[in-house]
């Protein structure tokens, strides 16, 4: 011990835990140095009730890894059909297996096809013919997309029913119900599906680990490991802790052995767990750390946490989310759920009612790549019931859903700035690289509604939860599906400035008090969905290069959206006639020659040039976006109405599972379809068994039952 500091050196998990326990009640700061090597944990390292400042880091030049991976010491022996086995002991919980540091795949059907949804899917994965091949599928798993592609849905297989079908137990990993896709589905952890090199299966009752090794692998000369847990570091009710230079690796999933928690009225349910878990902490920092092959969430901040910083860390090849910043829902006033919407605002006090939520959290200069490998309702950074979260200067790509996600308006004051997001929303639909929801106290006032009605009554309560403005400033967002900045379902009190969007634009659905200023949208529009009466949105001084620069569906009377002093390049003549754009000092110019980023923009719109420095320095860059400038959506006038095909805009508005059907733009009360019960805003999907398109629309005039979507619900009309 020095006079003013305690120095300790550790070389094993046991020594590290003893060192922490030794110094946690000391008054002097402590520095704990870890010697080189892998620290194989059977239990997470705990820092509880510590008020001593502690800095934990590797020895100079060292490489320290905290992992749950345990070595397989038993020899692998030939079994049959190219399969080997090792006797490792009964009753273990194993969700990950590695050979020479490389993750092997839990046996599955269909076999792994990297780059596809779910790394491979098959409509016959749960067919009677397939199930008949499995002698005892109990202990197997089903992973699928949600029926409307709003994330994933997963199920444990408990066995077979008397009719031969599977007995399934939903794990609860989606807040929008247990419905699953019939197309995007796969099964895993069923012995009979162990049929491909690189796959494994652990027989818990036998205690045997069965493996098909990859070509060129010599079973007697390998280092084999299995993950023995999900948690590495547990910090609770502690302060002034620095963690730097550590690697966190190789943990189990928590997908099939957790109780999932519904998060407000967002789409999220989550297992409140992580490889690193923090609760009740202050002044905690992680710097220059790496998270690789984590099966669950990497870092989970639960409840009260203050002044936590994660900087210059890498998150790669992980199973769920990177950083979860979730307050306790007890902090919310008059919390509603999807099962019980509160339709009266009784508590008119703004802000939280308790202190159990994170605040002043910073995530900066981090790299996120290939997350959400198992859990599709995931993100690089996600927050709920939190205040003053800054997400700055990160590079985020290759994710199944959003890169950055805000679950609710509670309690705002966030800064999302200088990030580079691309190759997101790879496996799901109706979403954006940045996504938010605002289904707060006001949202169901007067009755549950997803289509923007009763805005006048809701407006006085819109900022009871979103009490401070959230700033989305100077991000580059590149994509080819969905919406770049997706402010969904009532997201309120946002300022969106100086963002560069390629291929995906900016969407405002419902909500109040949004400012969209000085953004550059390339080959993507502004989307206005289900706009409230008296919404008070301001869209000014933007540059938009798109033939259809403004897509508007369900604009309610009395809206107060201002769209002025914008520059629209290459707009179709039809777009210029929009009453939202005429007479508002907007400029219309032809497609610019050369790079649009190098144009001298007219002074009339007062557009400030946008710096092209985004994300963390030295990280991969998004692919160059080729301007496609897609044509206007097709519409037809017939049968006393106007109808359009389904695009991402109308799919999102109506909550559709895909792009099938036609949208009813207008409909006369004299129309035969009106007399059949069709209304403006409906989507007609089928007439009998016939899928409806603009060409087959006349089929709806007959007597066949109609399948429609109205208010995001599927209905039948006879």
């Amino acid at each position: 011990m020095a006079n003013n500091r305690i120095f300790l050196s550790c070389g094993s998990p046991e020594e590290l835990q003893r060192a922490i326990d030794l110094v946690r009640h000391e008054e002097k700061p402590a520095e704990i140095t870890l010697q080189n090597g892998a620290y194989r944990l059977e239990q997470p390292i705990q820092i509880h009730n510590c008020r001593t400042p502690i800095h934990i880091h590797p020895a100079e030049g060292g490489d320290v890894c905290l992992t749950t991976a345990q070595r397989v010491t038993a020899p692998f022996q030939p079994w049959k059909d190219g399969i080997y086995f090792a006797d490792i002991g009964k009753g273990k919980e194993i969700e990950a297996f590695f050979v020479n540091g490389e993750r092997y795949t839990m046996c599955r059907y269909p076999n792994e096809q990297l780059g596809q949804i779910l790394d491979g899917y098959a409509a016959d994965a749960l067919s009677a013919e397939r199930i008949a091949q499995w002698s005892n599928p109990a202990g197997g798993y089903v992973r699928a997309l949600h029926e409307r592609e709003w994330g994933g849905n997963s199920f444990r297989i408990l066995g077979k029913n008397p009719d031969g079908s599977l007995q399934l137990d939903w794990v609860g990993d989606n807040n929008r119900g247990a419905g699953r896709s019939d197309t995007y589905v796969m099964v895993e952890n069923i012995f009979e599906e162990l049929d491909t090199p690189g796959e494994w299966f652990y027989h818990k009752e036998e205690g045997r680990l069965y493996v098909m090794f990859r070509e060129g692998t010599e079973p007697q000369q390998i280092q084999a490991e299995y993950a023995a847990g999900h948690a590495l570091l547990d910090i609770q009710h502690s302060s002034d802790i620095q963690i730097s230079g550590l690697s966190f690796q190789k943990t189990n999933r928590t997908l099939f052995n957790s109780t999932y928690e519904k998060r407000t009225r967002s789409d999220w349910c989550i297992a409140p767990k992580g490889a690193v878990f923090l609760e009740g902490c202050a002044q905690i920092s992680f710097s220059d750390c790496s998270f690789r092959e984590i099966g669950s969430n990497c870092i989970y901040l639960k409840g009260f946490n203050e002044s936590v910083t994660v900087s210059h860390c890498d998150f790669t090849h992980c199973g769920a989310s990177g950083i979860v910043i979730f307050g306790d829902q007890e902090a919310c006033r008059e919390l509603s759920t999807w099962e019980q919407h509160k339709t009266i605002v009784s508590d008119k006090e703004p802000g939280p009612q308790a202190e159990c939520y994170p605040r002043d959290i910073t995530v900066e200069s981090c790299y996120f790549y290939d997350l959400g490998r198992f859990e599709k309702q995931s993100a690089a950074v996600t927050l709920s019931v939190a205040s003053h979260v800054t997400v700055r200067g990160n590079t985020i790509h290759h994710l199944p859903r959003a890169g950055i996600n805000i679950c609710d308006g509670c309690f705002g004051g966030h800064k999302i700035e200088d990030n580079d997001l691309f190759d997101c929303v790879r496996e799901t639909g109706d979403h954006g690289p940045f996504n938010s929801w605002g289904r707060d106290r006001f949202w169901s006032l007067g009755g549950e509604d997803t289509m923007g009605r009763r805005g006048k009554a809701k407006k006085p309560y819109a900022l009871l939860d979103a009490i401070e403005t959230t700033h989305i400033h100077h991000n580059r967002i590149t994509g080819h599906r969905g919406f770049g900045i997706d402010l969904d379902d009532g997201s309120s009190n946002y300022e969106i400035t100086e963002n560069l969007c390629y291929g995906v634009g900016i969407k405002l659905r419902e909500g109040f008090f949004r400012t969209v200023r000085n953004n550059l949208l390339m080959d993507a529009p502004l989307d206005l969905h289900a706009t409230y009466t008296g919404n008070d949105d301001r869209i000014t001084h933007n540059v938009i290069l798109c033939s259809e620069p403004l897509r508007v569906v369900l604009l309610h009377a009395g809206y107060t959206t201002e769209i002025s002093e914008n520059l629209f390049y290459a707009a179709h003549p039809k777009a210029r006639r929009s009453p939202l754009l005429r007479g508002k000092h907007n400029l219309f110019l032809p497609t610019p020659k050369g790079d649009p980023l190098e144009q001298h923009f007219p002074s009339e719109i007062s557009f400030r040039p946008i710096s092209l420095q985004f994300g963390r320095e030295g990280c991969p860059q998004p692919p160059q976006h080729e301007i496609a400038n897609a044509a206007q959506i097709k519409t037809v006038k017939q049968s006393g109405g106007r109808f359009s095909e389904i695009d991402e805009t109308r799919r999102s508005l109506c909550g559709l599972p895909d792009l099938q059907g036609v949208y009813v733009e207008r409909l006369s009360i004299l129309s035969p379809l009106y007399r059949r019960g069709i209304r403006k805003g409906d989507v007609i999907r089928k007439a009998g068994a016939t899928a409806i398109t603009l060409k087959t629309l006349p089929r709806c005039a007959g007597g066949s039952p109609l399948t429609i979507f109205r208010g995001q619900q599927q209905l039948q009309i006879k």
Side-chain angles (χ1 to χ4, degrees), residues 55-72:
H55 182 195
I56 302 174
H57 63 89
E60 185 175 354
D63 184 5
V64 173
C65 166
L66 270 60
T67 179
T68 72
Q70 305 298 320
R71 288 196 177 102
V72 176

Side-chain angles (χ1 to χ4, degrees), residues 276 278-279 299-303 305 308 323-327 358 361:
V276 172
L278 282 78
E279 184 175 17
I299 299 178
Y300 196 107
L301 276 63
K302 181 183 185 302
N305 284 281
V308 176
I323 302 174
V324 179
I325 306 166
F326 278 7
I361 310 299

Side-chain angles (χ1 to χ4, degrees), residues 400-701:
R401 201 144 174 76
I404 301 171
N405 184 78
I406 299 179
C407 287
D408 42 63
C410 310
F411 299 104
H414 312 304
K415 293 181 180 180
I416 313 298
E417 57 190 19
D418 303 332
N419 300 289
D420 201 4
L421 291 85
F422 58 98
D423 197 26
C424 300
V425 198
R426 289 172 53 87
E427 301 180 61
T428 59
D430 188 10
H431 214 53
F434 172 88
N435 178 82
S436 66
W437 293 289
R439 302 161 182 157
D440 306 324
R441 265 181 276 180
F442 74 86
W443 193 62
S444 54
L445 183 65
E448 181 193 355
D449 172 41
T450 61
M451 305 306 281
R453 288 179 281 266
R454 295 185 287 276
K456 184 177 180 180
K458 295 175 181 180
K459 185 175 181 178
Y461 308 105
L463 303 185
L464 289 182
D465 295 304
I467 56 177
E468 295 188 69
T469 302
T470 289
H471 299 267
I472 304 176
H473 174 74
H474 190 251
N475 303 277
R476 178 169 59 187
I477 303 178
T478 306
H480 58 86
R481 60 183 303 204
F483 312 93
I485 298 175
D486 188 348
L487 268 59
D488 206 4
D489 286 2
S491 298
S492 298
N493 202 3
Y494 277 79
E495 184 176 83
I496 303 172
T497 58
E498 297 190 25
N499 297 283
L500 175 57
C501 297
Y502 284 100
V504 283
I506 297 173
K507 167 187 154 188
L508 307 178
R509 177 178 181 136
E510 301 174 306
F512 300 92
F513 311 117
R514 283 83 61 96
T515 296
V516 180
R517 183 180 66 249
N518 210 100
N519 301 280
L520 178 54
L521 277 59
M522 308 276 284
D523 206 22
L526 286 163
D527 270 274
L528 307 183
H529 297 189
T531 303
Y532 281 136
T533 298
N535 58 302
D536 283 1
D537 290 336
R538 300 288 179 264
I539 301 171
T540 64
H541 306 289
N542 301 283
V543 175
I544 303 174
L545 195 163
C546 188
S547 64
E548 189 181 9
L550 184 66
R551 292 178 182 165
V552 181
V553 284
L554 221 55
L555 193 68
H556 287 285
Y559 69 88
T560 51
T561 301
E562 176 191 332
I563 305 179
S564 64
E565 298 180 80
N566 300 283
L567 170 58
F568 298 104
Y569 278 125
H572 190 278
K574 182 179 177 181
R576 304 186 185 195
R577 297 194 293 269
S578 169
L580 279 164
L581 303 182
R582 290 201 308 265
K584 305 291 178 61
H585 305 289
N586 294 300
L587 297 179
F588 293 88
L589 295 178
T591 304
K593 295 181 180 179
D595 188 344
L597 295 175
E598 298 177 357
Q599 300 299 307
H600 177 70
F601 301 115
S603 60
E604 297 97 306
I605 65 165
S606 303
F607 186 83
R608 287 176 44 183
I610 297 175
S611 165
L612 299 183
Q613 299 299 314
F614 303 93
R616 192 172 90 178
E617 186 176 357
C619 288
Q621 300 288 302
Q624 184 174 355
H625 182 85
E626 297 294 333
I627 301 296
N629 209 3
Q632 294 264 312
I633 189 170
K634 294 180 181 178
T635 62
V636 298
K637 294 181 180 179
Q638 64 181 49
S639 302
R642 187 175 73 185
F643 307 86
S644 65
E645 61 188 358
I646 303 298
D647 60 358
E648 289 285 351
T649 294
R650 288 153 182 82
R651 178 188 180 181
S652 178
L653 173 76
C654 302
L656 302 177
D658 49 43
L659 298 175
Q660 302 302 309
V662 299
Y663 179 74
V664 182
E665 302 274 358
R666 287 201 306 255
L667 196 63
S668 167
I669 61 174
L670 301 178
S671 166
L673 290 180
Y674 188 93
R675 292 195 295 270
R676 290 206 63 186
I678 298 297
R679 296 292 182 265
K680 175 184 175 180
D682 289 348
V683 174
I684 309 174
R685 302 268 289 174
K686 291 182 179 180
T690 302
I692 295 301
T693 65
L694 292 181
K695 289 184 178 180
T696 62
L697 186 59
R699 297 281 189 94
C700 297

Side-chain angles (χ1 to χ4, degrees), residues 6 23 25-29 52-53:
I6 302 171
V23 303
H25 295 306
E26 295 287 338
E27 294 183 1
K28 296 179 180 180
T52 301

Side-chain angles (χ1 to χ4, degrees), residues 336-352:
S336 286
T337 67
W338 279 107
E339 292 76 24
Q340 185 176 8
H341 297 276
K342 294 187 177 179
T343 59
I344 299 173
V345 176
S346 300
D347 186 345
K348 298 179 176 60
E349 186 73 20

